[in-house]
Amino acid sequence: MTPTSYFPHKNNEMFVEDIALSQIASQIQTPFYCYSSAAIEASFQEYQNAFDNQDALVCYAVKANSNQAVLTTLAQMGSGADVVSMGEIRRAIAAGIPANKIVYSGVAKTQEEIEYALSLGIFQFNVESEPELELISQVASAVNSTAAIAFRINPDVCAQTHAKISTGKAENKFGIPISKAQIAYARAAELPGIKVQGVDVHIGSQLTSLAPFAEAYGRIAELVKTLKADGHDINVIDVGGGLGITYQDEVIPSKQAYADMVKEQLGELGCKIVLEPGRSLLGNAGILVSSVVFIKTGEERQFLMLDAGMNDLIRPSMYEAYHQIIAVNQNNRELKPYDVVGPVCETGDTFAKARQVHQSNSGDLIAIMSSGAYGAVMSSSYNTRMLTPEVMVKGNEFAIIRNRPSYEELIKQDIKPNWL
Ligand SMILES: *Cc1c(COP(=O)(O)O)cnc(C)c1O
């Protein structure tokens, strides 16, 4: 799937599935996120097809995009959820994802969160440290319950991705070092309220090659054999998320190639495979739609000043991420180099430098592609700009799936102390 697969140009105009984007923009003020439901379904189905000869459960990584419309679309296709907070558990349940398809990751789960997850009977806790294991045991024993656990193993593999989204090196905060795994599992086996059921690994995000995965899963396979020999009943391997998407021109291995590699590395162990994809399900299913406010001619360059900023989509400023930037109406205009910037008072509020975009004017619509994952969920109201609304398209229909709040609602959240 490319950034434009579900956002094609027809007669010089960008469509989302069967609707012209300009038609949506005439009814909802920019900036807004716009998702293609067909794109989400297609990506999910690719995983289902790729793993149809393995005992596998896709647990969508809710943090990539946690809108109820997105979660419900995936829930109806049979997806489970990988969650990292009580809030995400609540969102998953509200969208109809059954508790027995929820895996719970995260390095600092609190007692309250553990109690809540236990009370629902989630499928698995992915335990990231020994102190977390002790806490889960205490909480579970206190309520006469049992927590099914896997340790998240840090395999010390370089994911060859951006440093801020690399998680599987020894220096990262995630998981238990693979060298300490046997001790950790031995401890888990003797604790009350704990049932050892699996092994979990997640080495990073936006991986563009299978090699780091294969290396990590190879190490996990060895570990699983060792743990089984130690007498542990390991029947789940959670292989994490991380398969990348095409933002620019990256060539991403197919989901089938990924599935075949998983089978090759782990197939002989007879374990259920849990997958936690986020970006690869949502990334190219969404765009951020904005309008040109001004064209400003600087001393050396032309700035395309948009009404969307880093508060709406933080990936370029946070990870130097590349997003294609495309004029919605092209009308045979020529391409020109622009610095594409937002309205926020930070130099980092820059989407792209010297980027070729069709010659544009004030009021023109601009699409920032590949924004379906880690876009809306990371947005804020910095500069007191309203949280970006979200729209979902299905065929020739669209629906607002999150409203833009009003200024009154935002300001009303503040409370003046009684001495003022
Ligand atoms: C972020 C995350 C994922 C999803 O990663 P993607 O790269 O979006 O597929 C899966 N599992 C865990 C534990 C994560 O932290």
Side-chain angles (χ1 to χ4, degrees):
M1 191 179 294
T2 72
T4 51
S5 296
Y6 287 83
F7 304 91
H9 269 79
K10 301 181 194 170
N11 301 326
N12 282 325
E13 181 174 14
M14 188 183 285
F15 274 65
V16 189
E17 299 188 26
D18 303 327
I19 307 185
L21 206 44
S22 58
Q23 190 191 329
I24 303 174
S26 70
Q27 290 176 54
I28 173 165
Q29 210 187 322
T30 56
F32 61 87
Y33 280 96
C34 183
Y35 309 120
S36 155
S37 129
I40 299 170
E41 288 168 11
S43 304
F44 184 82
Q45 196 59 50
E46 278 177 30
Y47 272 111
Q48 294 289 70
N49 296 347
F51 280 89
D52 71 351
N53 64 354
Q54 301 182 54
D55 176 13
L57 174 66
V58 178
C59 291
Y60 166 62
V62 172
K63 74 178 196 273
N65 186 321
S66 56
N67 190 290
Q68 283 294 295
V70 169
L71 295 180
T72 305
T73 300
L74 289 165
Q76 288 182 356
M77 296 189 77
S79 184
D82 167 47
V83 300
V84 294
S85 68
M86 161 137 39
E88 286 192 353
I89 300 176
R90 289 178 185 269
R91 282 186 188 269
I93 297 284
I97 296 176
N100 65 8
K101 287 187 184 174
I102 294 179
V103 295
Y104 186 7
S105 306
V107 290
K109 304 176 186 76
T110 65
Q111 173 164 347
E112 189 191 7
E113 289 179 312
I114 293 166
E115 277 167 2
Y116 180 65
L118 258 180
S119 73
L120 295 174
I122 63 162
F123 178 68
Q124 178 169 292
F125 288 83
N126 288 338
V127 180
E128 303 228 16
S129 65
E130 288 89 348
E132 181 190 332
L133 177 75
E134 304 286 332
L135 180 58
I136 294 175
S137 168
Q138 279 168 28
V139 173
S141 309
V143 295
N144 266 324
S145 177
T146 305
I149 69 115
F151 278 108
R152 175 166 176 180
I153 301 300
N154 186 325
D156 195 18
V157 162
C158 179
Q160 292 156 18
T161 183
H162 190 279
K164 285 187 185 160
I165 48 177
S166 180
T167 59
K169 284 290 288 170
E171 72 232 35
N172 300 131
K173 70 179 176 185
F174 299 98
I176 308 258
I178 194 159
S179 56
K180 302 234 172 82
Q182 265 185 288
I183 300 169
Y185 275 91
R187 176 70 181 147
E190 67 188 26
L191 280 178
I194 298 287
K195 178 185 144 221
V196 170
Q197 80 173 19
V199 173
D200 166 49
V201 64
H202 172 75
I203 58 172
S205 197
Q206 184 53 15
L207 275 72
T208 54
S209 127
L210 294 182
F213 288 118
E215 192 182 344
Y217 300 164
R219 291 182 192 183
I220 293 299
E222 288 310 308
L223 176 65
V224 169
K225 286 179 205 160
T226 307
L227 294 173
K228 285 184 169 188
D230 288 351
H232 300 291
D233 187 13
I234 305 292
N235 49 58
V236 176
I237 301 177
D238 181 336
V239 297
L243 194 61
I245 62 167
T246 302
Y247 283 100
Q248 185 172 7
D249 50 14
E250 303 90 333
V251 179
I252 307 294
S254 69
K255 296 182 178 82
Q256 189 62 60
Y258 175 78
D260 293 345
M261 177 274 297
V262 168
K263 190 168 189 184
E264 186 184 322
Q265 297 293 337
L266 304 170
E268 61 172 6
L269 300 165
C271 291
K272 181 188 188 77
I273 301 293
V274 172
L275 311 158
E276 302 173 344
R279 189 188 311 273
S280 52
L281 289 177
L282 259 294
N284 275 329
I287 61 176
L288 175 59
V289 184
S290 66
S291 300
V292 177
V293 182
F294 299 118
I295 310 283
K296 172 172 164 180
T297 305
E299 282 197 353
E300 291 171 7
R301 36 187 98 210
Q302 282 222 310
F303 293 98
L304 200 56
M305 318 202 84
L306 303 183
D307 65 0
M310 63 188 285
N311 68 297
D312 303 303
L313 177 67
I314 204 171
R315 298 191 69 260
S317 36
M318 189 146 123
Y319 314 119
E320 292 101 39
Y322 182 101
H323 288 263
Q324 290 185 23
I325 296 174
I326 301 183
V328 168
N329 286 292
Q330 300 184 337
N331 293 332
N332 302 317
R333 294 182 206 154
E334 64 190 34
L335 289 165
K336 288 183 70 173
Y338 291 107
D339 279 15
V340 185
V341 301
V344 172
C345 300
E346 304 247 0
T347 304
D349 186 25
T350 298
F351 292 113
K353 290 196 165 150
R355 184 68 67 78
Q356 296 286 334
V357 183
H358 286 89
Q359 193 268 318
S360 298
N361 301 308
S362 285
D364 286 355
L365 294 172
I366 298 286
I368 303 178
M369 309 307 290
S370 310
S371 304
Y374 307 109
V377 283
M378 287 194 183
S379 62
S380 75
S381 51
Y382 184 40
N383 277 210
T384 305
R385 292 165 40 75
M386 290 299 94
L387 277 183
T388 336
E390 295 170 276
V391 172
M392 185 178 274
V393 169
K394 187 173 179 67
N396 58 11
E397 282 184 87
F398 77 90
I400 295 175
I401 59 170
R402 185 172 77 183
N403 272 313
R404 176 179 281 112
S406 68
Y407 288 112
E408 289 71 26
E409 284 169 315
L410 184 77
I411 295 169
K412 187 169 79 183
Q413 288 175 358
D414 299 351
I415 301 166
K416 288 184 196 166
N418 58 14
W419 61 83
L420 289 177

